[in-house]
Amino acid sequence: MTTMDASALPSELLVTPQPLVGFCGLDTARVGVHKAVWEAFSGSLQRKATDRAAVQYKLLPPNYEFPVAKPKRASYEWYHPKGILKRNWMLKHLHVLPSVVVLFQDMEWNDLQWTEKQLQCAAIVQALKNALQERNTRLCLVLLQKAAPLPPGEDLLAAERAASLTSACGITSKMLFILPHTEHLTGYALRLESAFLDMAQSYYALMSKRIRNHRDQLTAAHTSLKIRHQFKLGFVAEMRQDFSTGQKHYFQAYANLDEIRINDGNCLEIKTLAGFLNYKICRLMFKLKTPRDAINQFIIHVEKYKSRVGFKDLAFEHHAWLSTQHSVFAELFCEAIKNGLPALQTQHPGIYYHKAAEYVMKRRDSAQQAYASLLSSSEATPPTPNPNSLSLYTEFFGIRAVKTGDLIAEQQANAHLCEMERSFNHSSGIIALLSQAMAQFKLYKCLRFRKKLAIDMAEEYLKSGDHAKALTLYSLMLPDYRQEKWSTIFTDVLLKTLRCALLSASVADYIACSVEALSLRHNRGEQAERILLLENLWQVFQGIPPMPKTQLSSEAQALWTTALASVKSPIQIDLDKVSDVVEMCATFQRVQLNNDDVVQLQLFVRVLTDVPLSVRSFHVILADAGNPQNSYKLEALKYLCFPSLTQLRQEQVTQPQPFEKNMRLEPGSYYQMFCTTEAQQFHENTQLRIVRLEAHMGTDQVAALLTCSSSYSRQLFRHHTRSRDLDDNVTINPICYIAPTFHLDTQTNLGHGQQNNNGMDEQEAVVATTRMLVNEYYPVVITISNPYNVYLQNVGVHISVPGGLRNSVFLTTDISPGRQKLHAQIQIDVGELSAHGSNTATFYIFSLAEAEIKLQQRLSYTLDVDRGPGGGGGSGIGANAARVSTAPNSSAESTPDHEVKGVPNNSLATISPVQIEYLDETRLRKSREDVLTVRCYGDFKFAARFYTLDRKPLGQLYRGENFLLRANTEVVAVDDVEILDSFFICDHNLVQSNYSFKRKKYTNKYSAGEQLESVIVLRTNATLRDWTTARDLDHRGKLEGKPVASKFIRPAPKPTTAIEETASGPTPVPPAGISAYMSKSLVAKIPTTMTIINSNSAVSNALQVANAGVMSSSLHSEEANEASEATTGAGMENLKTTRLVYNKALEAVQGTGHCRGFIKGVYTLEPERASTLPIFGVFCIRWRRANGKEENESKFVISGLDIAEPPLNIYCTIEEKMFVKMPMAFKVLLKNPTTRVIHLTANLSISKTDNFICSGHKQLDISIMAYEEKELVYNLYPLQVGWQELPVLSLEYNTKADPQKNDSQNALLDELVQRALPKRVFVLVSGP
């Protein structure tokens, strides 16, 4: 320790004061019981328990000498102390003078030798009393016994002998204790410890009282004694664990220091005592949870004494004191944080550790200045070191053993202190403090300041001569400052790193730093400095140490010789990090190449420094997606040199020159390097990506590998003359695609008739002459040709419908009259194609909806190839073939930023539609996917409405009632069509009138916008409850034993054995009548009897079941696609139509009459909707294109109405033509459909008497039995020509015969009469 009082605090000051208790009479070395007792009190495991008191135990030897008490002073009036605080006072009360002395004796109450032991014990106690004369130390006796004592009053012998023992020893009974050494020894020890602590507290309380008595005798002139007594009072209060009182005494002592005038003689003592008191005050403030007060106290303390230097020659002593103050406060701060105190980024221990390190640096500088001034003094000679540094100090803290006023002695002491300071290792102290500060700054996320501390630590290592550690720290900080672009700081760190690499003989770091130091950004000195740096670099490349032998020490010379002999070459340097030295950028000349082309790359190089560089070679590293584990290295063999980038825009006139090794690259010029290789060695349908660029500098012995990534980064600030940027003069292509060769060309002809290929692309030509319509088989003819001299096998075309249209668009290759097969995807096998051969493939598209159909077309074939080692199927590799390497570069270690990463194959799907699959070593399959787009237009727009016979809209039907179906058709086809026929096929439960079977004549051609109308008279004979299905009909026929047959029924195919389930779950089984006529559902096949419906409204449940059972499984579709027209609009609320399509209308019906029967199966585009309304029938339109031959059918399903049970059926019969003054019959048939007798009253009234003459019953009571009929006949004689009102027939219930009838039933009956009877007729003029 150089300057004991200034450089460190005494250890007795740093510990927490605890009461001292001394143990006598224990022989721990020879008696096991004594050792157990001692460990019970002072053992480390026991002392760590939180419930133990803060007591310090000391084992006193038999002849222990206690400090002799000083004589008491009667007065302090003429007493002048030599110092404030003695060095041994704290040590005496902490470790020498106990507050309690405990005597242990092995004595049993029933011991036979009790008298002798009692005398011996009394003698020992008397000896201790004599040794502790004039001391207030407490004395107690502990008897070690084997058994636990009995309760008080029960053991009379123990009470008697205890009284005699205390009397003989001259002690009270409170000073006698029993300690049984049983298994509960620790419990007894705890109880004794509490008693010892009480005795110690009374001792220190008496001691504080005595010190106060001394303090009260002091006068104003005894300032130093006041400080001493206040310090002692605070210290004793700490011993008593009274921390708040101790803090007050310490603070009072610290305040009393201000009363002493500071000069050079007493400055060290005042600062030493101020440091002691400040330490105690801050420690107690942290302990009492007032950290802000502690920090403020320390700041005030430092500011107060920072300028109190003392002797100028001993300024290093002042800086040592300041460093100690900061370091011990940082330790207090750390201890408080461990105890739960939170810290901040702006206030944490690292700040004080850093200040302590800074003061150590100032201490070193001051010591060097002091020693220099000491040597420069002519009167002084270099002193000899004093072997005993403690002889410089007295018994008081901060006072040297130099007589005041003796200048020669003081100079001699100062010289000794300077000489001792020189032996102190300042760098190790600075490094230790900086290391602690770095840990704190890292903990509190002050990373940037931590970097600054690392640089300071590296400088200390450099000054101390530990160049390797300095180089390590500098190397770790270089990337951070480089990334943050701290140019000035980075330059300083870089040059210091270069110096450390030079002194530590680190070849790799020296080369890397030398290359980076060539940059003009980091080294802005003279050009001569960079030239010298480059010369030293080339000396290292040649295996020679960089500096002349005269400038390098012998140790450094030996290190360089060893390092150059064992260097690993090449040394990698990442130019992405080391910027502004060499700029490199590579590009492919073409973005896409064929397999038989040559891959050409251009490498642009520019030297950014002002000194020329010699480069051995340039390489470009490529990655192939076909072989991602391999990389390809291309060497630049030719180059061009030009001064400006604008020459790249001009045509190349100068021929490239061959590249020579170690070619000199001049600064300010641009170099264009050329690399070539054959594309055959790479896989087809893959990407070539520039991964890395390399430049080799150096010799075969030592070389540097300069690498950079291939990505071109634009400058942050573009030049105002845009031609100065590289990407303004040349296109940067980092990726080159090796396009595969596809040996098939196609021409697609759409529509009917003959087409030609005028002006279309030879590879993929699509020609359309007619536009596709809904419900027609649209032909597509694909001509496949092979224009190459190769033989192709297994040529095929695969056509598929996209998933969104698979329920509305179908494909087929067979349009025979059966038209049995419709597919979601088809495969057409063309077979083999010889060289320059061709073939055709024809298929048809059938659509139910207007949509843009995008078919997926895939052409495929197999080819025999010779798959070479490089892949790609090339026959050979040219002279400039790329070298294949499994590592990214030639070195064993690779830069992580430049690892070769394979391009995933799935990313190539967007580049080329051609896919290549290797079947074996000699055969591969190539396929190409294209999209064939066909727009499908509508054919007809259909609407149907129901009316009563009196032309009023119909909302509900009655069983047995005649009604009208009005079918409106609008032509929407984009091309002219010919309508051949239209007819209506009604359900078995409906009957058409003979009038409806009259076929309407159509003109030859219809264009878009023309409208047609048909009126059909229908009647239903069943309600919804009695609706008959095909299964009911079959069951009824079996019960009657008669086959249900009709001349309209076709022979049914074999019934199916099973119906597949849809993807969404089990399908409900359709009715047996429908199932009997369903074929087996095969993949991509629709049976002949299948009905396909494009629905706009609900259909019956039975037909939906048939749809789910057949079509969904046939086309592997989970849901239907709604692609139908919107046929509803204003005034269309009565629309009851459903659009459908099927092969032949009559083939999809189980006929039970003329244009009447059961629909076997239905397929709709709409999702299933629960509906209770039946299907009344199908309206069919047979048509073809104008001047065409293929006939098509457009079918529309007509949904029915609710059918109710009527109270009465009314039918009217009247002649078709009426003539004036010629009688005619007007018949009304009344039919009772109920099981009860109906009583009616019929009244016939004529509104105008001049219209008709009527004969018949004007009023008649009628009774109609159950299911019977009654006919009313009237003869009418027309009197006038034209539209005439007919007589009005009214029917009412006869309430006299049937009292249950009321007016509401009469109203319903009147409604039926109004719907069934005509209102007026047209009377013709009779002939002559």
Side-chain angles (χ1 to χ4, degrees):
M1 185 179 296
T2 305
T3 55
M4 186 177 189
D5 296 335
S7 61
L9 297 182
S11 60
E12 59 270 21
L13 184 73
L14 301 178
V15 299
T16 302
Q18 294 179 350
L20 181 62
V21 177
F23 285 177
C24 296
L26 292 179
D27 189 0
T28 58
R30 290 179 294 183
V31 181
V33 175
H34 294 184
K35 183 179 180 181
V37 171
W38 170 249
E39 289 181 350
F41 283 97
S42 64
S44 59
L45 295 178
Q46 287 79 5
R47 300 310 309 167
K48 289 181 180 180
T50 57
D51 56 347
R52 298 297 294 268
V55 181
Q56 181 183 4
Y57 294 99
K58 183 176 182 179
L59 189 62
L60 304 178
N63 297 324
Y64 184 75
E65 295 183 2
F66 295 94
V68 179
K70 295 185 297 182
K72 297 182 180 179
R73 293 182 181 273
S75 173
Y76 287 91
E77 184 177 357
W78 300 102
Y79 176 68
H80 296 285
K82 298 179 181 179
I84 298 177
L85 185 64
K86 285 189 176 181
R87 296 181 184 276
N88 65 344
W89 187 85
M90 288 186 289
L91 286 173
K92 179 177 68 174
H93 289 281
L94 284 176
H95 306 294
V96 179
L97 182 61
S99 61
V100 179
V101 175
V102 183
L103 176 61
F104 289 90
Q105 291 293 317
D106 294 312
M107 297 178 66
E108 300 287 344
W109 298 123
N110 55 358
D111 195 344
L112 299 178
Q113 300 177 356
W114 171 261
T115 305
E116 292 80 1
K117 289 185 177 181
Q118 179 177 338
L119 294 175
Q120 183 181 1
C121 179
I124 297 175
V125 170
Q126 187 61 36
L128 289 175
K129 287 182 178 181
N130 295 334
L132 293 172
Q133 284 183 0
E134 307 258 338
R135 296 288 185 185
N136 295 320
T137 302
R138 302 294 186 263
L139 181 64
C140 63
L141 177 62
V142 178
L143 302 182
L144 300 178
Q145 297 182 356
K146 297 180 181 179
L150 296 175
E154 296 184 6
D155 193 349
L156 299 179
L157 179 62
E160 179 184 354
R161 291 193 171 185
S164 65
L165 180 61
T166 55
S167 176
C169 295
I171 59 176
T172 63
S173 59
K174 294 183 179 180
M175 301 169 64
L176 177 63
F177 300 96
I178 308 299
L179 179 60
H181 47 84
T182 61
E183 64 273 10
H184 302 295
L185 179 61
T186 304
Y188 291 119
L190 286 175
R191 296 175 62 183
L192 275 180
E193 186 177 78
S194 177
F196 296 158
L197 186 60
D198 292 340
M199 293 181 182
Q201 290 287 347
S202 65
Y203 168 80
Y204 288 116
L206 185 60
M207 183 179 176
S208 299
K209 183 177 180 180
R210 188 177 62 186
I211 296 173
R212 289 191 187 95
N213 292 334
H214 292 170
R215 183 191 61 182
D216 295 339
Q217 300 177 14
L218 301 179
T219 63
H222 298 94
T223 306
S224 58
L225 289 180
K226 290 181 180 180
I227 298 172
R228 178 191 298 178
H229 285 85
Q230 291 291 345
F231 181 85
K232 289 183 178 181
L233 288 173
F235 193 84
V236 173
E238 275 195 279
M239 300 278 277
R240 297 173 56 193
Q241 306 297 311
D242 189 359
F243 300 118
S244 59
T245 303
Q247 179 187 350
K248 293 177 182 179
H249 289 297
Y250 286 136
F251 197 80
Q252 184 62 40
Y254 187 84
N256 291 337
L257 282 175
D258 296 337
E259 301 178 5
I260 302 177
R261 184 176 180 179
I262 302 176
N263 52 40
D264 292 346
N266 66 355
C267 182
L268 178 61
E269 183 185 16
I270 298 300
K271 288 191 299 183
T272 302
L273 265 295
F276 290 0
L277 293 171
N278 176 74
Y279 175 79
K280 286 292 186 179
I281 292 172
C282 292
R283 180 174 189 143
L284 292 178
M285 285 181 175
F286 278 125
K287 196 171 189 66
L288 296 174
K289 306 300 182 183
T290 56
R292 291 185 178 179
D293 296 340
I295 295 173
N296 293 333
Q297 164 63 26
F298 178 77
I299 293 174
I300 295 172
H301 167 68
V302 172
E303 289 296 325
K304 181 186 294 185
Y305 294 100
K306 185 168 62 175
S307 60
R308 304 293 184 176
V309 179
F311 291 107
K312 300 298 181 182
D313 295 339
L314 301 180
F316 59 85
E317 194 176 47
H318 175 67
H319 293 136
W321 180 82
L322 287 174
S323 174
T324 303
Q325 297 302 304
H326 283 85
S327 62
V328 296
F329 183 76
E331 292 174 359
L332 286 178
F333 208 161
C334 289
E335 184 180 356
I337 291 173
K338 290 180 181 178
N339 294 330
L341 174 67
L344 304 173
Q345 280 188 336
T346 56
Q347 195 63 254
H348 59 82
I351 299 174
Y352 302 97
Y353 279 125
H354 177 233
K355 293 295 291 185
E358 287 184 342
Y359 282 116
V360 176
M361 296 177 189
K362 294 180 180 180
R363 173 185 177 182
R364 177 178 57 191
D365 297 338
S366 300
Q368 293 175 355
Q369 294 176 4
Y371 189 76
S373 63
L374 183 64
L375 292 179
S376 62
S377 177
S378 59
E379 298 179 358
T381 58
T384 57
N386 188 355
N388 187 8
S389 62
L390 296 179
S391 63
L392 295 173
Y393 300 94
T394 64
E395 61 178 344
F396 290 94
F397 283 110
I399 298 180
R400 298 191 184 91
V402 178
K403 185 177 180 180
T404 305
D406 190 351
L407 298 179
I408 297 176
E410 288 182 358
Q411 291 179 358
Q412 190 69 21
N414 292 347
H416 281 293
L417 288 174
C418 290
E419 186 64 27
M420 292 167 59
E421 183 69 16
R422 286 190 62 202
S423 62
F424 181 74
N425 191 352
H426 298 88
S427 295
S428 62
I430 295 172
I431 291 171
L433 291 172
L434 288 177
S435 177
Q436 291 175 312
M438 285 179 60
Q440 295 295 325
F441 277 100
K442 180 181 179 181
L443 180 63
Y444 295 102
K445 310 299 182 183
C446 305
L447 302 181
R448 183 165 290 176
F449 200 85
R450 178 177 174 270
K451 297 174 188 176
K452 190 261 182 188
L453 296 179
I455 296 298
D456 294 342
M457 188 184 297
E459 291 181 0
E460 286 302 320
Y461 277 123
L462 182 60
K463 292 178 181 179
S464 64
D466 196 347
H467 305 117
K469 292 183 179 179
L471 177 62
T472 302
L473 285 174
Y474 278 131
S475 301
L476 291 175
M477 294 300 106
L478 268 180
D480 295 335
Y481 286 112
R482 182 189 295 116
Q483 182 180 3
E484 295 180 1
K485 299 187 182 302
W486 290 90
S487 179
T488 305
I489 302 176
F490 178 75
T491 301
D492 181 66
V493 174
L494 176 64
L495 296 180
K496 290 180 179 179
T497 308
L498 180 62
R499 181 185 174 191
C500 293
L502 174 64
L503 296 177
S504 61
S506 177
V507 180
D509 292 315
Y510 183 82
I511 293 177
C513 293
S514 298
V515 172
E516 191 166 8
L518 293 175
S519 172
L520 296 177
R521 175 183 295 181
H522 306 316
N523 189 357
R524 300 183 180 181
E526 298 294 333
Q527 185 181 12
E529 298 179 4
R530 286 183 287 277
I531 293 176
L532 179 60
L533 193 63
L534 187 62
E535 291 176 354
N536 290 333
L537 178 62
W538 272 98
Q539 281 185 321
V540 175
F541 285 154
Q542 294 171 2
I544 304 173
M547 301 292 288
K549 294 183 178 180
T550 58
Q551 298 182 15
L552 277 180
S553 62
S554 58
E555 294 82 1
Q557 195 78 19
L559 288 175
W560 270 103
T561 304
T562 305
L564 289 173
S566 59
V567 65
K568 294 182 179 180
S569 181
I571 297 168
Q572 294 185 5
I573 301 175
D574 189 359
L575 291 181
D576 292 334
K577 301 175 181 177
V578 181
S579 58
D580 299 331
V581 178
V582 178
E583 181 182 12
M584 294 189 294
C585 180
T587 177
F588 285 99
Q589 190 170 357
R590 295 171 58 186
V591 179
Q592 181 172 335
L593 297 173
N594 293 325
N595 189 249
D596 53 353
D597 292 337
V598 177
V599 179
Q600 297 181 354
L601 293 96
Q602 298 178 8
L603 175 63
F604 298 93
V605 181
R606 181 190 176 192
V607 178
L608 300 179
T609 183
D610 58 349
V611 294
L613 299 180
S614 297
V615 181
R616 295 187 65 190
S617 62
F618 288 95
H619 292 89
V620 179
I621 309 301
L622 305 179
D624 184 5
N627 294 317
Q629 70 277 10
N630 294 334
S631 62
Y632 299 86
K633 180 181 291 188
L634 301 183
E635 183 177 1
L637 301 179
K638 295 182 180 182
Y639 79 98
L640 282 176
C641 179
F642 45 89
S644 176
L645 287 173
T646 55
Q647 294 186 6
L648 292 173
R649 303 182 180 182
Q650 304 173 4
E651 294 184 1
Q652 183 175 336
V653 180
T654 307
Q655 293 297 326
Q657 301 177 10
F659 186 86
E660 299 178 358
K661 288 188 176 181
N662 293 330
M663 191 183 74
R664 183 186 178 98
L665 302 182
E666 296 294 336
S669 299
Y670 294 89
Y671 293 86
Q672 184 180 11
M673 311 291 176
F674 297 94
C675 306
T676 58
T677 186
E678 297 292 335
Q680 294 180 355
Q681 57 185 318
F682 306 107
H683 283 284
E684 289 184 302
N685 197 24
T686 189
Q687 286 179 344
L688 289 181
R689 182 167 58 94
I690 301 176
V691 177
R692 191 173 62 257
L693 310 177
E694 294 181 354
H696 288 259
M697 293 179 61
T699 61
D700 295 335
Q701 183 179 358
V702 181
L705 180 63
L706 309 180
T707 65
C708 68
S709 61
S710 61
S711 59
Y712 176 77
S713 59
R714 291 193 169 196
Q715 300 294 332
L716 295 179
F717 299 97
R718 311 285 284 176
H719 294 290
H720 66 280
T721 54
R722 297 301 303 276
S723 60
R724 295 181 62 183
D725 292 324
L726 179 61
D727 57 338
D728 294 323
N729 298 277
V730 66
T731 303
I732 307 298
N733 300 320
I735 294 177
C736 180
Y737 175 61
I738 307 298
T741 302
F742 197 73
H743 299 88
L744 292 179
D745 292 342
T746 60
Q747 175 183 338
T748 304
N749 298 324
L750 304 178
H752 306 78
Q754 298 295 327
Q755 298 85 18
N756 51 22
N757 183 17
N758 296 326
M760 300 298 292
D761 188 6
E762 293 183 357
Q763 185 175 1
E764 182 74 24
V766 179
V767 181
T769 57
T770 58
R771 287 171 288 189
M772 180 179 176
L773 301 178
V774 176
N775 292 315
E776 76 162 334
Y777 288 88
Y778 189 69
V780 179
V781 180
I782 302 176
T783 302
I784 305 171
S785 59
N786 174 18
Y788 294 88
N789 293 323
V790 292
Y791 180 73
L792 305 180
Q793 303 175 5
N794 301 325
V795 180
V797 183
H798 183 271
I799 311 293
S800 63
V801 179
L805 297 176
R806 290 207 171 182
N807 289 336
S808 57
V809 179
F810 308 97
L811 306 173
T812 183
T813 57
D814 183 14
I815 57 171
S816 59
R819 294 183 183 177
Q820 298 183 22
K821 298 180 180 179
L822 292 180
H823 309 269
Q825 54 186 3
I826 57 175
Q827 175 71 32
I828 303 175
D829 296 328
V830 179
E832 301 173 352
L833 278 182
S834 59
H836 302 284
S838 63
N839 204 339
T840 60
T842 304
F843 65 95
Y844 298 87
I845 309 174
F846 185 84
S847 176
L848 302 176
E850 299 181 41
E852 185 179 35
I853 305 171
K854 294 184 178 181
L855 301 177
Q856 302 293 330
Q857 175 181 297
R858 187 179 183 209
L859 297 173
S860 62
Y861 63 90
T862 57
L863 179 66
D864 294 335
V865 294
D866 181 14
R867 191 178 183 185
S875 59
I877 300 178
N880 295 330
R883 289 181 294 166
V884 181
S885 61
T886 56
N889 48 46
S890 57
S891 175
E893 299 179 358
S894 62
T895 306
D897 295 342
H898 296 156
E899 289 185 0
V900 178
K901 299 179 181 179
V903 181
N905 291 330
N906 54 9
S907 64
L908 304 178
T910 59
I911 299 176
S912 174
V914 179
Q915 298 179 0
I916 300 176
E917 177 186 2
Y918 287 92
L919 303 177
D920 50 39
E921 292 297 328
T922 60
R923 297 174 68 245
L924 62 83
R925 177 188 292 117
K926 289 188 177 182
S927 60
R928 186 184 69 194
E929 293 185 355
D930 301 311
V931 176
L932 178 60
T933 303
V934 180
R935 177 69 184 179
C936 182
Y937 299 90
D939 52 356
F940 299 100
K941 183 178 181 180
F942 179 78
R945 296 175 181 82
F946 297 109
Y947 295 91
T948 60
L949 293 180
D950 58 349
R951 302 299 193 274
K952 292 183 179 180
L954 191 59
Q956 185 184 36
L957 286 176
Y958 291 101
R959 182 171 61 87
E961 179 186 14
N962 292 324
F963 60 94
L964 301 179
L965 169 63
R966 187 174 181 179
N968 297 318
T969 306
E970 180 182 354
V971 179
V972 296
V974 293
D975 297 330
D976 293 344
V977 296
E978 298 180 2
I979 299 180
L980 305 178
D981 191 10
S982 66
F983 53 93
F984 177 73
I985 303 175
C986 66
D987 188 80
H988 170 76
N989 297 276
L990 273 73
V991 178
Q992 296 188 53
S993 66
N994 295 330
Y995 171 79
S996 302
F997 296 134
K998 295 182 179 181
R999 298 301 177 96
K1000 184 177 180 180
K1001 295 181 180 180
Y1002 296 94
T1003 60
N1004 291 333
K1005 295 182 180 180
Y1006 289 89
S1007 301
E1010 298 188 25
Q1011 297 184 356
L1012 306 174
E1013 185 179 40
S1014 299
V1015 178
I1016 303 170
V1017 181
L1018 299 174
R1019 185 181 65 197
T1020 174
N1021 294 324
T1023 60
L1024 295 182
R1025 185 181 57 186
D1026 303 329
W1027 201 263
T1028 304
T1029 63
R1031 182 176 59 180
D1032 298 336
L1033 192 64
D1034 292 345
H1035 182 64
R1036 192 183 309 160
K1038 291 178 181 179
L1039 292 177
E1040 297 176 358
K1042 298 178 182 180
V1044 180
S1046 173
K1047 62 179 180 179
F1048 299 103
I1049 299 179
R1050 298 178 56 195
K1054 294 182 179 180
T1056 58
T1057 57
I1059 297 177
E1060 297 183 11
E1061 295 182 355
T1062 60
S1064 59
T1067 306
V1069 180
I1074 300 179
S1075 302
Y1077 293 96
M1078 289 185 181
S1079 300
K1080 186 177 182 181
S1081 178
L1082 302 175
V1083 176
K1085 179 177 180 180
I1086 299 178
T1088 305
T1089 57
M1090 191 62 216
T1091 304
I1092 306 172
I1093 298 179
N1094 182 2
S1095 177
N1096 287 330
S1097 61
V1099 295
S1100 67
N1101 290 334
L1103 298 177
Q1104 292 287 359
V1105 168
N1107 167 32
V1110 179
M1111 282 306 299
S1112 295
S1113 59
S1114 299
L1115 299 180
H1116 301 281
S1117 175
E1118 297 182 2
E1119 60 180 358
N1121 179 36
E1122 298 186 20
S1124 60
E1125 296 182 2
T1127 55
T1128 60
M1132 305 285 283
E1133 63 278 356
N1134 295 321
L1135 191 61
K1136 299 293 181 181
T1137 61
T1138 301
R1139 180 122 180 221
L1140 80 136
V1141 116
Y1142 42 79
N1143 300 321
K1144 293 293 183 180
L1146 292 176
E1147 294 177 357
V1149 176
Q1150 178 185 349
T1152 57
H1154 184 61
C1155 291
R1156 179 187 177 203
F1158 298 102
I1159 299 176
K1160 302 174 183 177
V1162 173
Y1163 172 69
T1164 111
L1165 290 182
E1166 288 195 355
E1168 296 185 10
R1169 293 176 295 179
S1171 176
T1172 58
L1173 299 179
I1175 293 178
F1176 278 4
V1178 180
F1179 190 82
C1180 305
I1181 302 175
R1182 288 197 309 113
W1183 59 277
R1184 65 186 177 190
R1185 289 180 176 270
N1187 302 322
K1189 296 181 180 179
E1190 289 291 334
E1191 296 183 2
N1192 305 291
E1193 281 189 356
S1194 296
K1195 281 75 61 176
F1196 304 91
V1197 166
I1198 301 176
S1199 298
L1201 300 174
D1202 184 23
I1203 304 174
E1205 189 71 32
L1208 181 68
N1209 287 330
I1210 304 173
Y1211 304 102
C1212 177
T1213 304
I1214 194 172
E1215 294 185 6
E1216 185 176 357
K1217 294 181 180 181
M1218 299 182 62
F1219 297 94
V1220 68
K1221 296 182 180 180
M1222 292 186 63
M1224 69 172 200
F1226 178 59
K1227 299 181 180 179
V1228 177
L1229 180 63
L1230 304 178
K1231 184 177 181 180
N1232 181 9
T1234 64
T1235 58
R1236 298 181 179 181
V1237 179
I1238 298 177
H1239 303 278
L1240 301 174
T1241 300
N1243 294 318
L1244 184 67
S1245 63
I1246 300 176
S1247 59
K1248 294 182 180 180
T1249 55
D1250 55 352
N1251 289 346
F1252 290 96
I1253 298 176
C1254 178
S1255 65
H1257 300 284
K1258 298 296 190 295
Q1259 183 175 1
L1260 180 64
D1261 292 334
I1262 307 171
S1263 296
I1264 308 175
M1265 299 300 168
Y1267 303 110
E1268 295 295 332
E1269 299 175 354
K1270 181 66 175 181
E1271 185 178 28
L1272 301 179
V1273 180
Y1274 299 94
N1275 293 323
L1276 299 181
Y1277 188 81
L1279 299 177
Q1280 295 182 5
V1281 179
W1283 287 103
Q1284 304 297 328
E1285 297 289 339
L1286 287 174
V1288 178
L1289 177 65
S1290 60
L1291 297 177
E1292 294 180 356
Y1293 286 105
N1294 190 347
T1295 57
K1296 295 181 180 180
D1298 191 358
Q1300 297 180 356
K1301 302 300 180 180
N1302 51 29
D1303 294 339
S1304 61
Q1305 294 174 339
N1306 285 329
L1308 177 59
L1309 189 62
D1310 183 65
E1311 180 185 354
L1312 292 178
V1313 173
Q1314 297 296 329
R1315 291 168 61 163
L1317 299 182
K1319 304 299 184 294
R1320 57 179 183 169
V1321 295
F1322 190 80
V1323 181
L1324 301 175
V1325 179
S1326 60

